[in-house]
């Protein structure tokens, strides 16, 4: 639990730290995506799924002093990292021009989402509600990775749900709320939406 407290609330992230991390993780992701032997494996999921990016964003958000700082830092992280992922790959400029427009709106949305996300720190009933969409997205990814047999990514998604539940949320009530919403949403998605003709 001490490590979780340090990770979520005990780190001072300067803007230099943020920029260094943004560039470093983007270079790693872009280069991993160029390795043919890793294609269709868990190792390239960092460039395809959201699980790692939710994890990084929550670390930035929870270690921010206020909602505005949270929003600015999360926005900078995605604004810097996403283009680099494309540009370090072969035909990077072509990839950037073709695909980055799909990330432009999600990148812009990180500002209001991180602003609201900071309130998971407030230890009230809304903390669990605010975190629940992230847990839901991780659960959806876990199901997808189970069906595609990406075992490492599956394990990471399950671990991240647990880590965020106990690292971000401080009260059991909020943890129950977040996970109950996540489980209910998964049931609705897979029982009533996807599987109904």
């Amino acid at each position: 639990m001490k490590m979780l407290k340090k990770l979520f609330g005990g780190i001072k992230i300067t803007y230099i730290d943020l920029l260094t991390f943004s560039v470093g993780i983007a270079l790693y992701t872009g280069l991993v995506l160029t390795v043919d032997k890793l294609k269709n494996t868990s190792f390239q999921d960092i460039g395809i799924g959201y699980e790692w990016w939710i994890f990084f964003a929550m670390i930035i958000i929870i270690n921010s002093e206020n909602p505005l700082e949270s929003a600015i830092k999360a926005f900078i992280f995605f604004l810097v990292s996403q283009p680099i992922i494309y540009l370090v790959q072969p035909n990077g400029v072509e990839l950037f021009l073709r695909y980055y427009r799909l990330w432009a709106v999600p990148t812009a949305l990180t500002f209001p989402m991180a602003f609201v996300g900071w309130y998971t720190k407030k230890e009230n009933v809304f903390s669990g509600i605010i975190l629940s969409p992230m847990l839901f997205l991780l659960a959806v990814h876990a199901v997808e990775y189970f069906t595609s047999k990406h075992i490492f990514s599956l394990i990471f998604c399950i671990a991240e749900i647990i880590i965020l539940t106990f690292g971000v949320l401080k009260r059991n009530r909020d943890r129950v709320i977040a996970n109950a919403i996540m489980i209910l949403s998964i049931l609705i998605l897979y029982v009533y939406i996807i599987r109904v003709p």
Side-chain angles (χ1 to χ4, degrees), residues 27-43:
L27 289 173
Y28 169 79
T29 302
L31 293 174
V32 163
L33 290 172
T34 66
V35 180
D36 287 337
K37 289 185 178 180
L38 298 179
K39 197 169 185 178
N40 297 319
T41 70
S42 292
F43 296 100

Side-chain angles (χ1 to χ4, degrees), residues 2-35:
K2 285 183 179 179
M3 194 169 82
L4 286 181
K5 286 182 180 179
K6 176 71 175 174
L7 189 62
F8 296 102
I11 302 173
K12 176 69 174 175
I13 302 175
T14 67
Y15 282 96
I16 296 298
D17 296 333
L18 180 68
L19 289 172
T20 302
F21 181 70
S22 301
V23 172
I25 199 64
L27 289 173
Y28 169 79
T29 302
L31 293 174
V32 163
L33 290 172
T34 66
V35 180

Side-chain angles (χ1 to χ4, degrees), residues 51-71:
E51 64 277 4
W52 281 100
W53 302 97
I54 291 172
F55 186 64
F56 299 144
M58 289 307 300
I59 291 172
I60 293 167
I61 289 167
I62 300 303
N63 285 291
S64 296
E65 295 294 327
N66 55 64
L68 183 58
E69 179 186 329
S70 171

Side-chain angles (χ1 to χ4, degrees), residues 67-141:
L68 183 58
E69 179 186 329
S70 171
I72 292 170
K73 285 184 174 178
F75 177 70
I76 289 172
F77 172 67
F78 285 98
L79 184 67
V80 171
S81 63
Q82 299 307 304
I84 294 173
I85 292 171
Y86 293 112
L87 294 173
V88 297
Q89 296 181 62
N91 302 318
V93 174
E94 180 185 342
L95 290 172
F96 175 79
L97 293 174
R98 184 187 306 170
Y99 295 111
Y100 185 69
R101 58 188 175 82
L102 301 174
W103 281 102
V105 172
T107 297
L109 289 175
T110 60
F111 190 94
M113 289 170 67
F115 190 98
V116 173
W118 183 87
Y119 286 94
T120 55
K121 296 172 63 169
K122 300 304 284 183
E123 297 184 24
N124 57 41
V125 69
F126 294 107
S127 299
I129 294 172
I130 293 168
L131 185 64
S132 64
M134 297 301 97
L135 301 185
F136 168 72
L137 194 53
L138 290 169
V140 169
H141 273 339

